[in-house]
Amino acid sequence: MTQPDALLDVAYDEALRGLAEGGVPIGAALFDVDGALLGRGHNRRVQNDDPSVHAETDAFRAAGRRRDYRPTIMVTTLSPCWYCSGLVRQFGIGTVIIGEAQTFHGGHDWLAEHGVKVLVLDDPRCVSLMTDFIAERPDLWFEDIGVAPTKQTPA
Amino acid sequence: MTQPDALLDVAYDEALRGLAEGGVPIGAALFDVDGALLGRGHNRRVQNDDPSVHAETDAFRAAGRRRDYRPTIMVTTLSPCWYCSGLVRQFGIGTVIIGEAQTFHGGHDWLAEHGVKVLVLDDPRCVSLMTDFIAERPDLWFEDIGVAPTKQTPA
């Protein structure tokens, strides 16, 4: 497999693009097992006014229609939420490489339990990017992961 | 709650639209708890050449950005796959109404285990629609749920 860090660089670059556009800074990319890029993308909630486009969804869409995802690798800057973990499981994506799972712990343990090869890189750039974003825009972050407003998570 | 059958009619109508367009005939709609329509849609794999748009995703997208999905109802003609079940769980959609779960058994038991109110209607129109589609286009059906080609599921 191509060096995981090199694959993560592509997803991280997508996250930075999202940040520059005023969006949620999460990026992803789908590669084949040889490291060839199939599709890349980032969260587009703000940019497209579309709650359905998480980073992984965007990369998956960009890769187009395929008949076999088993030899593919989903790389994402952040632990995939249930929506994106469900995508990985349903389509049988074989490997998931995750930048960090400190600021958000999604469904990657569940994926590992169901046979997906999961690698968490603990990348400090990714941790820093999300830490800063969550501190700055908690409203947008909680919206993006479906946490309804409460006293702890204001609108 | 508005009669579940009346809500399913909207999703079924979406499935028929998808069929008429040459697509995968699965429809969905998101309602608020009072039965007001928030968004409706159908699978667009073929029409948009987009593997990321399942019926539930399309209805969710059509409903726009929201801060609280707990009082919403996702209605779908078919048991939601892991991708769409993940959507429901992540965004905390409170209720899922399912036309049928005979031709495909997705993640609705998992959703029920995690506190989602799940209602399966065993609607014969929905069963018939999917039975016919799967018999006619097994290639497209297996592609849509991420089952790679084998001797049993030809490309």
Side-chain angles (χ1 to χ4, degrees):
Chain A
M1 186 162 82
T2 308
Q3 284 299 316
D5 284 335
L7 303 184
L8 182 63
D9 284 347
V10 177
Y12 184 71
D13 180 64
E14 284 290 330
L16 292 183
R17 291 187 194 191
L19 184 70
E21 293 165 4
V24 179
I26 305 173
L30 191 71
F31 295 92
D32 76 13
V33 76
D34 299 320
L37 179 67
L38 302 174
R40 55 189 288 171
H42 54 266
N43 187 299
R44 296 185 186 275
R45 172 176 294 274
V46 172
Q47 299 91 319
N48 294 18
D49 205 26
D50 184 345
S52 77
V53 189
H54 275 191
E56 297 88 334
T57 326
D58 200 38
F60 180 79
R61 180 171 60 179
R65 292 171 59 180
R66 312 187 70 82
R67 278 308 309 270
D68 191 353
Y69 289 91
R70 290 171 300 183
T72 66
I73 304 167
M74 177 67 83
V75 185
T76 172
T77 54
L78 182 66
S79 172
C81 80
W82 288 115
Y83 175 43
C84 299
S85 295
L87 176 82
V88 168
R89 181 169 175 189
Q90 186 62 48
F91 289 96
I93 291 169
T95 304
V96 177
I97 295 174
I98 297 167
E100 62 105 353
Q102 293 177 34
T103 64
F104 177 74
H105 195 111
H108 65 273
D109 297 329
W110 179 73
L111 290 176
E113 284 163 21
H114 288 92
V116 179
K117 188 176 167 190
V118 173
L119 186 62
V120 181
L121 297 179
D122 291 322
D123 183 278
R125 296 172 305 172
C126 294
V127 175
S128 170
L129 187 62
M130 279 309 287
T131 301
D132 292 350
F133 170 70
I134 293 170
E136 204 163 306
R137 293 297 311 273
D139 56 325
L140 186 52
W141 169 238
F142 288 121
E143 179 191 328
D144 198 56
I145 53 170
V147 176
T150 65
K151 283 179 184 169
Q152 284 72 43
T153 60
Chain B
M1 188 161 82
T2 307
Q3 283 300 316
D5 284 335
L7 302 184
L8 182 62
D9 284 346
V10 177
Y12 183 71
D13 180 65
E14 284 291 329
L16 292 183
R17 290 188 193 191
L19 184 69
E21 293 165 4
V24 179
I26 304 174
L30 191 71
F31 295 93
D32 76 13
V33 76
D34 299 320
L37 180 66
L38 302 173
R40 55 190 287 171
H42 54 267
N43 187 298
R44 296 185 185 276
R45 173 176 292 274
V46 173
Q47 299 92 318
N48 295 16
D49 205 27
D50 184 346
S52 78
V53 188
H54 274 192
E56 296 88 334
T57 325
D58 200 37
F60 180 79
R61 180 171 59 179
R65 291 171 58 181
R66 311 186 71 81
R67 278 306 311 266
D68 190 354
Y69 289 90
R70 292 172 299 183
T72 67
I73 304 167
M74 178 65 85
V75 185
T76 172
T77 55
L78 183 65
S79 172
C81 79
W82 288 116
Y83 174 43
C84 298
S85 295
L87 177 81
V88 168
R89 181 169 175 189
Q90 186 63 49
F91 290 97
I93 291 169
T95 305
V96 177
I97 296 175
I98 298 167
E100 62 105 354
Q102 292 176 36
T103 64
F104 176 74
H105 195 111
H108 64 273
D109 297 329
W110 179 72
L111 290 176
E113 285 163 19
H114 287 93
V116 179
K117 188 175 167 190
V118 174
L119 185 61
V120 181
L121 296 179
D122 291 321
D123 183 278
R125 297 171 304 174
C126 294
V127 175
S128 171
L129 188 62
M130 279 309 288
T131 302
D132 292 351
F133 169 70
I134 293 170
E136 205 163 304
R137 292 298 310 274
D139 56 326
L140 186 52
W141 169 237
F142 288 121
E143 180 191 328
D144 198 56
I145 52 171
V147 176
T150 65
K151 283 179 185 170
Q152 284 72 45
T153 59

